[in-house]
Amino acid sequence: MNLYDMTFRIPVGQAFSTLVELLDKRLESVFDFITYFLNTAVKGLEDALQMIPIPVMIILLVLLAWRISGRGVAVFTLVGFILIAGMDLWVETMQTLSLVFISAIITLGVGIPLGIWASRSDLLDKLLRPVLDFMQTLPAFVYLIPAILFFHIGRVPGVISTVIFAMPPAIRLTNLGIRQVPADVVEAAHAFGSTDNQLLVKVQLPMALPTIMAGINQTIMLSLSMVVIASMVGAPGLGKEVLYGVTQLDIATGFEGGLAVVLVAMFLDRVTESLGKGNQDNKNNQ
Amino acid sequence: MTTKVSAQNIYKIFGPNPEKVFKLLDKGLTKDEILRKTGHTLGVIDASFDVEEGEIFVIMGLSGSGKSTLIRCVNRLIEPTRGKMFIDGEDILKVDNKQLRHIRRKKIGMVFQRFALFPHRTIIRNVEYGLEVQGIPVDERHRRSMEALELVGLADYAESYPHNLSGGMQQRVGLARALANDPDILLMDEAFSALDPLIRKEMQDELLDLQSKMKKTILFITHDLDEALKIGDRIAVMKDGVIVQIGTPEDILTNPANDYVSEFVQDVDRSKVLSASNIMKKPEVIFTKDGPHVALRKMKEMGLSSIFVVDKQRELRGLVTVDSLINNRKNLEKKDLNELIQTDIPTTSPDTPVRDLFGVAAEARYPIAVVDERHHLLGIVARVNILAAMSGEEVS
């Protein structure tokens, strides 16, 4: 028998395809509801952000950066967002921010509780590990196809694929942060008669906070890195500009879109990073 | 005296199938053989002890002897595989989680080797923790925690964070945290082992000082024999998961149960542990009603050059020497015995450590009289007794 012309083949792809079709038929109403809900949320936030006049919005963002991260980041925010407005990408930026914001909320809303759960259950931790590997390394296009089937073209498959890609660090770092709380401190909490919830809320979460904040930061950065892919399935925003640049060989448009993504990313990174550090600094200074 | 904590035949076996191990134990296999054969580690093997109310009970052993496992069986931070653990007569191994929390909150405080303070909480919030989880109102828990902090002398640091404090101060906070909910029982797991020697000594003294006021029941774990002898009312010596001897510091020193214990105690500075009452002898005495003649005859019989004089209630009056009695007779002075008594003689209390008697013994021409607080003569300590005790000879 020649090893190179085996007739034997495991139909993995076929099985997955069948599963997707089955899910699409059986859970159509559920998916439709999710689609409606998410689309309304993102669209609503887009509209709300666009109602705020550009100068007011810039001032608000600068104030936010100043309060949380200090003067340097505030100056950067001012320059960055004036540049974005100047490149005439304001609407797209607000659309991207909305998508990222809603995606991040969902990601953290699911990821942090899952991370907490995984920190308490070695079994779940073990089961989750390969799933998280899948989510992080499976090329996004692979799940974009079923996402379109389930959620149609538009913002929602963008949100879904962003959530899938950005959730692993939220879960992993929450789990890690809680597991890193020294065993004797946990023991002390038990010795004084804490319930499991008291242990979590009064000891584990506060002590894991810097690590969890790092997870939140990672989640937001990864969300942003998905904007181009989200645009491929029809989500509006900065990704669309980049995509236009790529497909039309329009260097100028592509670069402007890309630059705006980087500016937004740096703004979000610095602000969320200081948020995590700020907590620690307060502790150390008092 | 009532028994506060009573451990009965406690076993702790680490591994997936402890029942299998019991069979091998019955066959007489050793800890190492069982580990090699089954992969199970025997933490504690058949440990039994009673701790009386108000007692400092020390569990001493080297690392890996199972002492930390055993103390965790008392408040079930580690679940014993077998046995009974009575706290105030209630088997804590039989209670459900809710009752267990209740016992941990009300009855047992714990102090940890590495302090185990909550780094994100201020000192006062650390001390409050045990009261906070009980749902005690803010005002009351703040007041009680401040009292506990004052007890350990750290009230000024209430708003600091643990990392701003030195190791010794952090452990004081650990102690205050354990005392804040006023438990009857304190579990101290190598509480002073992570501290510098000087600070450690200071903390030991402070603990003894606090204990004399509070009368808690304390289980204290240590690997340091000097520490065990210093603070323990009774000591349990552990080796390889087994309690090999339980006794007072004097018992351990003078009657070691086996070679392991005697090897362990051979380098101990006995002068710190043994006290005057451990080495004193029963004295020959004469009574104030006896005359000089009786005194002289008794000293001749016993071959003594001096003798202590007591009254009818055995209260020490002083000492007469054979010289003064003979002079009295030679000079035909018909003095009363009372006139011949020397009252300026060295005395000591029964719990004075022997090391504090060295100087006195070196100076004194006569044995040292051991008297209680009402000046009753309990015994005498001669230089030879001190030397015998220091050399580790049997002293009776």
Side-chain angles (χ1 to χ4, degrees), chain B residues 172 195-205 230:
Chain B
R172 276 166 215 257
L195 304 175
D196 298 336
L198 276 177
I199 308 286
R200 188 189 312 178
K201 190 180 167 301
E202 205 178 294
M203 292 292 286
Q204 290 165 351
D205 293 336
K230 177 172 177 182

Side-chain angles (χ1 to χ4, degrees), chain A:
Chain A
M1 193 179 104
N2 182 346
L3 276 176
Y4 290 96
D5 52 46
M6 285 194 302
T7 47
F8 144 87
R9 190 177 189 290
I10 306 173
V12 176
Q14 193 56 50
F16 181 67
S17 170
T18 313
L19 177 73
V20 168
E21 277 166 30
L22 194 75
L23 284 178
D24 192 28
K25 267 183 211 144
R26 286 290 164 83
L27 298 174
E28 200 184 349
S29 55
V30 177
F31 289 136
D32 283 352
F33 173 75
I34 294 174
T35 308
Y36 173 75
F37 178 78
L38 286 180
N39 194 44
T40 313
V42 180
K43 184 79 175 53
L45 186 59
E46 278 174 20
D47 293 347
L49 288 178
Q50 285 176 47
M51 274 166 62
I52 304 171
I54 295 177
V56 175
M57 190 67 191
I58 291 182
I59 289 168
L60 286 178
L61 290 173
V62 168
L63 280 177
L64 184 77
W66 193 31
R67 287 277 338 220
I68 296 177
S69 309
R71 205 162 46 185
V73 179
V75 171
F76 166 80
T77 307
L78 182 67
V79 175
F81 279 88
I82 287 176
L83 187 59
I84 286 172
M87 291 188 294
D88 207 9
L89 288 174
W90 189 262
V91 173
E92 288 78 5
T93 301
M94 290 305 116
Q95 286 168 336
T96 290
L97 273 179
S98 304
L99 188 93
V100 167
F101 187 77
I102 298 292
S103 302
I105 296 267
I106 296 169
T107 306
L108 300 174
V110 177
I112 290 177
L114 261 180
I116 292 170
W117 191 9
S119 75
R120 293 176 163 203
S121 156
D122 288 338
L123 178 69
L124 181 68
D125 186 34
K126 241 182 231 167
L127 292 177
L128 268 181
R129 196 167 288 179
V131 176
L132 296 182
D133 292 339
F134 248 81
M135 289 163 77
Q136 274 185 306
T137 53
L138 196 70
F141 298 103
V142 179
Y143 48 77
L144 273 184
I145 310 160
I148 294 170
L149 271 180
F150 294 154
F151 305 107
H152 317 294
I153 295 281
R155 295 178 179 89
V156 180
V159 171
I160 298 292
S161 47
T162 304
V163 166
I164 291 175
F165 186 62
M167 193 180 290
I171 298 177
R172 284 204 163 119
L173 287 168
T174 303
N175 183 6
L176 177 74
I178 292 177
R179 282 176 186 265
Q180 272 178 342
V181 173
D184 61 346
V185 175
V186 175
E187 215 174 27
H190 277 304
F192 288 103
S194 311
T195 62
D196 285 349
N197 282 337
Q198 286 172 331
L199 172 69
L200 182 72
V201 173
K202 291 178 192 293
V203 179
Q204 289 177 317
L205 283 183
M207 286 181 73
L209 197 61
T211 312
I212 294 174
M213 287 308 298
I216 293 176
N217 174 276
Q218 284 302 300
T219 292
I220 290 174
M221 296 305 281
L222 289 180
S223 305
L224 211 51
S225 73
M226 283 294 280
V227 291
V228 175
I229 286 172
S231 292
M232 295 178 105
V233 290
L238 291 170
K240 223 166 192 173
E241 295 297 303
V242 177
L243 207 59
Y244 179 84
V246 173
T247 50
Q248 304 299 311
L249 288 179
D250 184 340
I251 299 172
T253 309
F255 183 75
E256 285 183 354
L259 182 63
V261 171
V262 171
L263 291 172
V264 172
M266 285 170 75
F267 164 75
L268 288 177
D269 177 61
R270 301 302 182 275
V271 170
T272 51
E273 191 187 52
S274 322
L275 220 54
K277 275 204 187 132
N279 275 297
Q280 258 183 319
D281 287 348
N282 283 344
K283 234 165 31 187
N284 292 339
N285 291 338
Q286 276 176 19

Side-chain angles (χ1 to χ4, degrees), chain B residues 204-377:
Chain B
Q204 290 165 351
D205 293 336
E206 205 167 305
L207 178 69
L208 290 174
D209 190 41
L210 282 173
Q211 171 66 353
S212 67
K213 293 175 214 152
M214 301 183 306
K215 300 283 178 212
K216 302 280 182 199
T217 303
I218 300 179
L219 266 84
F220 193 101
I221 298 279
T222 183
H223 63 261
D224 177 357
L225 181 62
D226 285 325
E227 185 168 72
L229 294 169
K230 177 172 177 182
I231 66 171
D233 292 317
R234 284 189 307 141
I235 299 170
V237 182
M238 275 189 95
K239 183 190 185 239
D240 292 340
V242 179
I243 295 181
V244 290
Q245 184 172 9
I246 298 181
T248 62
E250 292 80 10
D251 285 341
I252 303 278
L253 275 188
T254 53
N255 297 311
N258 59 22
D259 290 349
Y260 178 76
V261 181
S262 57
E263 205 168 302
F264 215 106
V265 300
Q266 71 182 3
D267 294 329
V268 168
D269 184 351
R270 286 155 192 280
S271 69
K272 277 198 275 186
V273 181
L274 297 178
S275 59
S277 60
N278 298 126
I279 64 167
M280 67 188 184
K281 299 281 184 197
K282 190 172 177 299
E284 293 300 331
V285 294
I286 55 168
F287 294 91
T288 41
K289 64 177 172 46
D290 298 332
H293 291 284
V294 180
L296 199 55
R297 200 182 63 231
K298 194 157 189 179
M299 288 166 84
K300 264 185 186 163
E301 273 170 26
M302 312 298 299
L304 297 170
S305 61
S306 60
I307 195 162
F308 287 95
V309 184
V310 297
D311 63 14
K312 261 189 287 184
Q313 284 77 40
R314 284 191 77 84
E315 194 173 314
L316 181 66
R317 282 303 165 87
L319 169 139
V320 287
T321 62
V322 74
D323 296 344
S324 64
L325 288 169
I326 291 172
N327 280 339
N328 182 41
R329 185 188 272 182
K330 269 187 193 159
N331 302 344
L332 297 174
E333 297 167 28
K334 298 286 177 196
K335 276 191 187 163
D336 186 32
L337 184 64
N338 282 322
E339 293 171 68
L340 297 168
I341 293 176
Q342 299 188 22
T343 50
D344 181 25
I345 52 168
T347 62
T348 186
S349 68
D351 23 276
T352 306
V354 171
R355 73 161 10 177
D356 295 346
L357 297 177
F358 289 165
V360 191
E363 297 288 316
R365 294 165 57 207
Y366 315 110
I368 304 164
V370 183
V371 294
D372 66 13
E373 62 272 21
R374 283 174 303 165
H375 220 62
H376 290 172
L377 182 64

